């Protein structure tokens, strides 16, 4: 009887899946099912959990070119007042700088962090290490992961940092060349836009700023899947990306 018992780990995909035109999976097996544990590896799947800092620690000082950002709370309602379920709440990409590191050495120069405590910043969507400190969600980021400073609720006021560029995306074509009206789903996302603001430029090997060759007002062509997307209060679309992702200036 024991020999007839089957476990999930011993069932071969060969015995479960039909063949398709003579093709059959020969080596795949269904992984055994184990209890889901947060923060542990699950057959190649790693779930990251935020590090919780014990209440006995009252100070968190970032080192080097790292920055501690208190994450902005996600919107719980739409602009029309509809309560959003947790799954539908947009993950914030902004917060307040609450502590900064001492900077870094480049060549013979010591370069300070370019953001100050109290600044409201926007950062790359998947950057940083999540930390729960003093009862609030925080991120420890590299300074280079910060896209820019945004002191208002309108993304057009973003001040890009380093080699970042803020672009207002061109409106997608409403019709085909033959005059057919396009649906929202069939409109191709443009890769063209107008530069709204540029950062001070990257640091060279001596720690000096190198100005960007792109200027506000330029119409540019940029890489299709680069950068971080934002939407303004009026529905306009913006993208913040590195200057190296801008491929050409159009005129």
């Amino acid at each position: 009887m024991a020999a007839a018992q089957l476990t999930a780990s011993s069932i071969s995909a060969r015995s479960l899946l039909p063949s398709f035109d003579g093709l059959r999976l020969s080596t795949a097996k269904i992984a055994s099912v184990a209890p889901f544990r947060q923060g542990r590896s699950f057959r190649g799947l790693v779930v990251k959990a935020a590090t919780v800092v014990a209440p006995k620690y009252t100070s968190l000082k970032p080192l080097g070119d790292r920055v501690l950002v208190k994450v902005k709370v996600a919107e719980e309602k739409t602009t029309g007042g509809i309560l959003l379920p947790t799954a539908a709440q947009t993950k914030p990409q902004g917060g307040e700088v609450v502590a900064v590191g001492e900077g870094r050495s480049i060549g013979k120069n010591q370069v300070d962090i370019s953001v100050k405590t109290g600044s409201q910043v926007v950062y790359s969507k998947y950057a940083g290490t999540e930390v729960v400190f003093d009862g609030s969600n925080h991120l420890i980021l590299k300074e280079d992961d910060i896209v820019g400073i945004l002191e208002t609720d309108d993304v057009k006021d973003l001040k890009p940092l380093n080699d970042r560029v803020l672009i207002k995306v061109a409106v997608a074509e409403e019709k085909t060349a033959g005059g057919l009206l396009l649906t929202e789903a069939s409109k191709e996302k443009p890769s063209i836009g107008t530069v709204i603001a540029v950062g001070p430029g990257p640091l060279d090997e001596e720690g000096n700023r190198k100005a960007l060759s792109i200027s506000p007002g330029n119409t540019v062509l940029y890489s299709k899947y680069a950068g971080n997307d934002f939407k303004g209060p009026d529905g306009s679309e913006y993208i913040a990306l590195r200057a190296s992702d801008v491929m050409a200036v159009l005129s």
Side-chain angles (χ1 to χ4, degrees):
M1 182 68 179
Q5 291 179 338
L6 294 176
T7 63
S9 60
S10 64
I11 301 175
S12 170
R14 181 195 297 272
S15 63
L16 294 179
L17 299 178
S19 61
F20 295 93
D21 296 330
L23 299 177
R24 188 189 292 270
L25 292 176
S26 59
T27 58
K29 289 188 177 182
I30 298 176
S32 58
V33 179
F36 181 80
R37 294 181 182 178
Q38 201 172 40
R40 290 205 169 185
S41 174
F42 176 68
R43 293 281 179 166
L45 172 66
V46 177
V47 179
K48 292 183 179 179
T51 301
V52 179
V53 179
K56 66 179 180 178
Y57 299 107
T58 57
S59 175
L60 197 163
K61 172 67 175 174
L63 298 179
D65 61 343
R66 292 179 176 83
V67 175
L68 179 65
V69 175
K70 185 177 182 180
V71 178
K72 182 180 178 181
V73 178
E75 293 291 340
E76 295 184 355
K77 293 183 180 180
T78 65
T79 52
I82 299 174
L83 190 66
L84 291 170
T86 302
Q89 293 174 16
T90 303
K91 181 181 178 182
Q93 283 181 249
E96 179 184 352
V97 176
V98 294
V100 300
E102 68 275 13
R104 55 184 172 138
S105 297
I106 301 180
K108 297 179 180 180
N109 296 325
Q110 175 67 22
V111 180
D112 294 331
I113 301 290
S114 59
V115 293
K116 308 298 182 184
T117 55
S119 297
Q120 300 292 325
V121 298
V122 175
Y123 46 80
S124 298
K125 194 166 187 177
Y126 301 107
T129 299
E130 296 182 9
V131 176
V132 177
F133 175 65
D134 196 25
S136 300
N137 292 330
H138 291 72
L139 276 178
I140 298 178
L141 302 160
K142 289 272 193 179
E143 181 194 12
D144 193 51
D145 290 325
I146 298 177
V147 174
I149 298 173
L150 183 60
E151 300 289 357
T152 72
D153 292 329
D154 196 337
V155 68
K156 69 178 175 56
D157 297 325
L158 179 73
K159 297 176 182 177
L161 295 180
N162 300 315
D163 61 341
R164 297 304 207 294
V165 177
L166 177 66
I167 295 171
K168 185 176 182 180
V169 179
V171 178
E173 294 292 335
E174 299 282 343
K175 295 181 179 181
T176 66
L180 296 176
L181 193 65
L182 293 170
T183 63
E184 286 295 326
S186 60
K187 290 179 184 177
E188 185 175 355
K189 181 181 176 182
S191 299
I192 296 174
T194 302
V195 176
I196 302 299
V198 301
L203 295 169
D204 63 19
E205 295 178 354
E206 295 299 322
N208 300 310
R209 291 285 177 188
K210 184 179 179 181
L212 299 178
S213 60
I214 308 164
S215 302
N218 287 158
T219 299
V220 296
L221 177 68
Y222 55 86
S223 298
K224 196 164 188 176
Y225 300 106
N228 292 267
D229 298 311
F230 303 96
K231 183 167 285 191
D234 61 352
S236 298
E237 294 185 355
Y238 296 82
I239 187 168
L241 40 71
R242 295 188 184 276
S244 58
D245 291 319
V246 176
M247 299 184 291
V249 176
L250 303 175
S251 60

